[in-house]
């Protein structure tokens, strides 16, 4: 089955760190650009970060730049290292696959179920 | 930063046509994509490149982007279409992906 499964969410204090993972299965991971999108409770979707298939091109939303780091391995995993977490980072974090192979098309055809990150003291 | 504006809610009776708009500066020059999200579920792509449908999406779903406002149209609305719908573009100026605020479609 083609799927993305996120993990690593949880409760963290303001200023703390967390590392999210996304495991891909059922398809060849390496040619696809990948993304993180988050959704605060009861709110809309917010793009967080994108990484190209090679990892050479990386993009961040202004709200997380300098605090979050996206990365990937060559096999089947995407990561999001989140530092200096704030209450406003509380959200469900989705891993999403870009539709294009070997180039970024900037829209997403496969999403995981998400992992909840709660930043609270 | 680029902003996409959607109505917070749209209501329609079963069998009628739902129209969800997405406004943005010169949006006609951008490619607009639409996602459906049902409660407790991940978003799901229903329209891409303004008007293309992924395989498996019913023909009742259509999109257009003629210039000032992009539109998602759902014909012959069914109860199962009740969901939040988000438009999305890539803003080349900022290099950022942008989502609209979302529209809650209620089937009366």
């Amino acid at each position: 089955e083609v799927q993305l499964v996120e993990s690593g969410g949880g409760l963290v204090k303001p200023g703390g760190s967390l590392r999210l993972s996304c495991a891909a299965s059922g398809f060849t991971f390496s040619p696809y650009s990948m993304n993180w999108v988050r959704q605060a409770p009861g709110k809309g979707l917010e793009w967080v970060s994108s990484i190209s298939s090679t990892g050479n091109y990386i993009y961040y939303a202004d709200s997380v730049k300098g605090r979050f780091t996206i990365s990937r391995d060559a096999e089947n995993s995407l990561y999001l290292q989140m530092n200096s977490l704030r209450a406003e980072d509380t959200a469900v974090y989705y891993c999403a696959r870009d539709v294009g192979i070997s180039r970024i098309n900037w829209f997403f055809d496969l999403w995981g179920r998400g992992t909840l990150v709660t930043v609270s003291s | 930063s680029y902003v996409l504006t959607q109505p917070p809610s749209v209501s329609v009776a079963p069998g009628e046509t739902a129209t969800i708009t997405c406004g943005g500066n010169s949006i006609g020059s951008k490619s607009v994509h639409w996602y459906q999200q049902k409660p407790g579920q991940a978003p799901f792509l229903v329209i891409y490149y303004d008007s293309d449908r992924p395989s498996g999406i019913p023909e009742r779903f259509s999109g257009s982007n003629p210039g000032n406002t992009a539109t998602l149209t759902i014909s012959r609305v069914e109860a199962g279409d009740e969901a939040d719908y988000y438009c999305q573009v890539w803003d080349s100026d900022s290099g950022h992906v942008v989502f609209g605020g979302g529209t809650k479609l209620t089937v009366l």
Side-chain angles (χ1 to χ4, degrees), chain A residues 37 39 43-47 50 59-62 94 103 105-109 111-113, chain B residues 33 35 37 40-45 48-49 86 88-90 95-101:
Chain A
V37 177
Q39 187 170 34
K43 302 298 185 182
L45 302 173
E46 179 188 14
W47 170 75
S50 300
Y59 307 84
Y60 296 102
D62 292 344
Y94 294 103
R103 64 180 286 265
N105 287 269
W106 299 107
F107 64 101
F108 318 128
D109 68 343
W111 296 66
R113 296 176 66 89
Chain B
H33 318 292
Y35 301 87
Q37 186 182 33
Q41 297 184 16
F44 191 85
L45 183 69
Y48 64 98
Y49 288 143
Y86 295 90
Q88 178 248 308
V89 302
W90 176 62
H96 292 176
V97 171
V98 180
F99 286 96

Side-chain angles (χ1 to χ4, degrees), chain A residues 5-82:
Chain A
V5 179
E6 302 91 340
S7 61
L11 175 63
V12 61
K13 290 181 167 53
S17 299
L18 212 54
R19 188 192 195 210
L20 305 184
S21 299
C22 170
S25 60
F27 67 98
T28 303
F29 176 73
S30 56
Y32 289 93
S33 299
M34 297 297 296
N35 310 269
W36 289 99
V37 177
R38 68 185 181 183
Q39 187 170 34
K43 302 298 185 182
L45 302 173
E46 179 188 14
W47 170 75
V48 173
S49 182
S50 300
I51 185 168
S52 63
S53 58
T54 61
N56 290 340
Y57 298 96
I58 288 175
Y59 307 84
Y60 296 102
D62 292 344
S63 57
V64 306
K65 196 169 187 177
R67 301 187 299 121
F68 290 11
T69 302
I70 191 172
S71 62
R72 61 188 295 163
D73 65 24
E75 295 185 358
N76 71 337
S77 293
L78 176 72
Y79 305 99
L80 186 67
Q81 177 67 43
M82 304 186 297

Side-chain angles (χ1 to χ4, degrees), chain B residues 57-69:
Chain B
I57 300 301
E59 291 183 6
R60 301 185 298 104
F61 288 78
S62 62
S64 67
N65 186 17
N68 294 325
T69 302

Side-chain angles (χ1 to χ4, degrees), chain A residues 97-116:
Chain A
R97 185 182 75 177
D98 189 280
V99 68
I101 295 179
S102 299
R103 64 180 286 265
I104 303 178
N105 287 269
W106 299 107
F107 64 101
F108 318 128
D109 68 343
L110 180 66
W111 296 66
R113 296 176 66 89
T115 186
L116 176 62

Side-chain angles (χ1 to χ4, degrees), chain B residues 6-107:
Chain B
Q6 297 182 237
S9 63
V10 168
S11 299
V12 64
E16 299 299 309
T17 297
T19 301
I20 298 172
T21 59
C22 177
N25 186 32
S26 301
I27 194 172
S29 66
K30 301 182 185 300
S31 294
V32 180
H33 318 292
W34 292 90
Y35 301 87
Q36 176 193 74
Q37 186 182 33
K38 295 183 178 180
Q41 297 184 16
F44 191 85
L45 183 69
V46 294
I47 292 288
Y48 64 98
Y49 288 143
D50 299 336
S51 59
D52 290 340
R53 277 187 312 276
S55 60
I57 300 301
E59 291 183 6
R60 301 185 298 104
F61 288 78
S62 62
S64 67
N65 186 17
N68 294 325
T69 302
T71 300
L72 172 68
T73 302
I74 309 172
S75 304
R76 302 181 300 283
V77 166
E78 303 173 355
D81 298 331
E82 190 163 279
D84 294 326
Y85 291 85
Y86 295 90
C87 58
Q88 178 248 308
V89 302
W90 176 62
D91 177 35
S92 57
D93 290 338
S94 62
H96 292 176
V97 171
V98 180
F99 286 96
T103 298
K104 181 177 180 59
L105 175 65
T106 299
V107 181

